[in-house]
Amino acid sequence: MKEEEVNRCQIQEWYPKFKSVSIKTRIHELPESFVQYLLDDSGPFLLPVSISNDDAFPNRIHNPEEEDDYQVSEGSGDESEQPSLPPSFPELELEIKESIESLGGSVFPKLNWSAPKDSAWISTTGSLRCSSFSEIAVLLRSSDSLVHDLCHAYDSCSDKTSSRPRSFFLALRKWYQSLKPEMEFRCFVRNQNLVGISQREVTTCYPALIEKKDSLKALIEDFFVDKLMSRFESENYTFDVCVTKDDRVKVVDFNPWGAFTLPLMFTWEELDQTHSEQGDGVNFRVVESQLSVRPGLKTAVPFDYLDTGAGSGWDQVIRNANEELQQQTRNAQAGA
């Protein structure tokens, strides 16, 4: 993998070319001071002071008596241990506020490559839906997955010259309540040929999705040929799409082939083999039963929950699930 392949997948690079077939988005270049704020883990977790007095947790129940418990009286304590002053980014906050309003009042954020899906649990809505700068700041600051963008974007590149891009960008994407997780798919392109399509949310079985599998496959294949095939410069890459209620396909994201990109219902070895065999058409996979769900690929949880290495909690869950599936298969065959 080359740095240029990774760079093409940054949203500020591909969105201008594909905006007509994507989700409405506003993109802001982040000041370096905000980038350093996201990286700083040397002190307490401090949210930026909001010049609009927006609350990062607007739906929480305020208890003034409990808040009084955390007030520090002036002149008390050791002067050397005075609490740090929270940061403030007034210009960025005003720009973001304007963009949120122009996008209908609700957005979901992402940086150059990644969205803070692992911090959705901390939101009062349990999702990435944000309506203020403060809500965006708490998601970004709480995310482990964004460390990839900030520090490790080029780790898999054979021609790596830097650990980070020259600039970071915040993309605010219009929030559509009508878009359903079962209608999101990851598509795999090898040597500019579409070789695989996977259900994006692989932790749940959606029976209705199984019924629409053939029609969805045709929609996505046509979209790839008509809108992407000759326009995205990389030979090997993945792209994510969503399908709307009226059967329109929208490109949501691009990612490099392999490396940090999850293959979801596939393995990278399978996808390489699918390409080398050819002739079998596009392999489209969805979760077809509760036994096929992949809980270890849930991304809307803290990073610690995602450890699938040998001996981890998820490793044991997956092993148990595989053993149970094999046992049920043997029982079914014995009774046939």
Side-chain angles (χ1 to χ4, degrees):
M1 183 189 304
K2 303 293 186 181
E3 280 194 9
E4 64 178 11
E5 295 177 277
V6 175
N7 287 334
R8 288 191 193 110
C9 295
Q10 297 179 94
I11 191 167
Q12 77 275 7
E13 297 293 330
W14 65 259
Y15 180 74
K17 181 182 291 188
F18 297 103
K19 64 186 300 183
S20 64
V21 290
S22 188
I23 297 172
K24 191 173 181 182
T25 302
R26 296 283 295 271
I27 299 175
H28 299 269
E29 184 170 357
L30 292 174
E32 185 61 27
S33 58
F34 188 78
V35 174
Q36 292 306 312
Y37 161 72
L38 296 180
L39 285 169
D40 182 22
D41 61 358
S42 61
F45 187 107
L46 295 175
L47 289 175
V49 174
S50 171
I51 60 174
S52 304
N53 293 319
D54 290 326
D55 192 342
F57 303 99
N59 296 325
R60 66 176 174 172
I61 299 175
H62 291 268
N63 188 330
E65 294 181 359
E66 291 182 358
E67 291 177 359
D68 288 342
D69 292 340
Y70 293 92
Q71 299 297 320
V72 179
S73 59
E74 294 185 9
S76 65
D78 189 340
E79 292 294 330
S80 64
E81 296 182 2
Q82 290 300 307
S84 302
L85 293 175
S88 181
F89 307 96
E91 293 183 6
L92 179 63
E93 181 177 355
L94 289 175
E95 293 173 6
I96 288 176
K97 183 177 181 179
E98 179 185 343
S99 289
I100 292 175
E101 291 173 353
S102 72
L103 293 170
S106 294
V107 300
F108 66 95
K110 69 171 293 179
L111 296 189
N112 300 32
W113 294 276
S114 307
K117 290 184 177 181
D118 61 317
S119 58
W121 64 278
I122 204 171
S123 165
T124 53
T125 64
S127 71
L128 296 184
R129 182 176 184 173
C130 297
S131 57
S132 70
F133 171 72
S134 295
E135 290 179 283
I136 292 170
V138 75
L139 289 180
L140 299 180
R141 188 69 170 78
S142 305
S143 175
D144 287 317
S145 65
L146 293 189
V147 174
H148 161 265
D149 286 27
L150 297 171
C151 304
H152 304 290
Y154 302 113
D155 282 3
S156 299
C157 295
S158 59
D159 60 345
K160 177 182 175 181
T161 58
S162 175
S163 61
R164 52 161 285 179
R166 194 170 295 175
S167 300
F168 286 100
F169 294 82
L170 173 65
L172 303 178
R173 319 208 70 186
K174 183 177 177 65
W175 180 269
Y176 293 94
Q177 191 65 42
S178 60
L179 293 181
K180 304 301 181 183
E182 63 266 31
M183 287 293 123
E184 297 181 20
F185 305 93
R186 173 156 293 173
C187 309
F188 302 86
V189 178
R190 185 71 165 164
N191 289 345
Q192 296 190 338
N193 293 310
L194 184 62
V195 297
I197 303 171
S198 171
Q199 178 179 329
R200 184 69 181 84
E201 173 53 270
V202 296
T203 66
T204 307
C205 176
Y206 300 99
L209 183 56
I210 301 172
E211 299 172 6
K212 300 178 65 176
K213 187 176 176 181
D214 291 340
S215 61
L216 287 168
K217 178 182 176 183
L219 277 175
I220 295 171
E221 287 182 305
D222 289 345
F223 175 81
F224 169 70
V225 172
D226 295 341
K227 305 297 183 181
L228 304 185
M229 187 175 182
S230 60
R231 301 180 64 198
F232 195 77
E233 294 88 348
S234 295
E235 290 191 356
N236 308 311
Y237 61 95
T238 75
F239 64 95
D240 294 348
V241 297
C242 61
V243 180
T244 65
K245 286 184 176 180
D246 56 355
D247 288 338
R248 287 180 297 133
V249 181
K250 298 284 187 179
V251 63
V252 177
D253 207 1
F254 288 91
N255 283 293
W257 179 275
F260 54 80
T261 305
L262 292 175
L264 302 175
M265 297 293 294
F266 297 94
T267 65
W268 289 114
E269 291 76 16
E270 286 179 313
L271 290 164
D272 283 327
Q273 185 177 3
T274 298
H275 168 69
S276 63
E277 291 176 351
Q278 297 183 342
D280 294 330
V282 178
N283 192 342
F284 187 13
R285 294 184 181 179
V286 300
V287 177
E288 300 197 7
S289 74
Q290 290 297 337
L291 294 174
S292 301
V293 299
R294 302 197 173 189
L297 295 181
K298 186 69 175 176
T299 54
V301 294
F303 180 79
D304 290 349
Y305 293 1
L306 294 179
D307 178 14
T308 57
S312 69
W314 277 125
D315 174 55
Q316 191 59 49
V317 169
I318 294 170
R319 287 175 182 272
N320 291 344
N322 286 337
E323 290 174 3
E324 179 65 23
L325 178 58
Q326 291 171 8
Q327 182 61 46
Q328 292 184 22
T329 301
R330 287 194 291 269
N331 291 343
Q333 291 173 343

